[in-house]
Amino acid sequence: MMPEKPNDPHILGLKALAATLGEQRRADRLLATTGLSVEALRAGAADPAMLAATLAFLEAHEPDLLDVAGEIGVKPEELVASRAFLER
């Protein structure tokens, strides 16, 4: 197994998903906006498209983007770059 890269887009996407689901207001908004269930999010957590969609969701509401970036210890720009990478 290769060591984790600190700014790996997949890892940042997973951390952002966990932080989003870890705060009730954000989680409720994500579920309501996407129509997905918690089970569907868990099942798709390894899917780059799901991670990109989570990051796009955060980008659409800057306060959440800033909050999640702060919670996981990265700059908001890193989350935006990760979304762009995951969408390729």
Side-chain angles (χ1 to χ4, degrees):
M1 185 172 173
M2 297 182 68
E4 176 183 316
K5 297 177 191 169
N7 295 333
D8 179 279
H10 296 91
I11 300 299
L12 290 180
L14 284 170
K15 287 180 178 181
L17 177 59
T20 299
L21 294 176
E23 199 276 308
Q24 192 64 49
R25 180 192 53 79
R26 279 194 306 255
D28 290 345
R29 201 166 63 76
L30 175 65
L31 297 174
T33 301
T34 63
L36 295 170
S37 66
V38 173
E39 293 78 21
L41 286 171
R42 282 188 189 125
D47 180 4
M50 176 77 75
L51 298 176
T54 300
L55 294 169
F57 164 81
L58 293 171
E59 281 182 66
H61 188 69
E62 187 177 22
D64 284 346
L65 177 67
L66 297 174
D67 288 346
V68 168
E71 287 175 29
I72 65 175
V74 299
K75 294 179 181 178
E77 299 83 23
E78 292 177 78
L79 295 179
V80 173
S82 292
R83 186 223 9 103
F85 178 88
L86 292 167
E87 286 181 340
R88 291 194 265 167

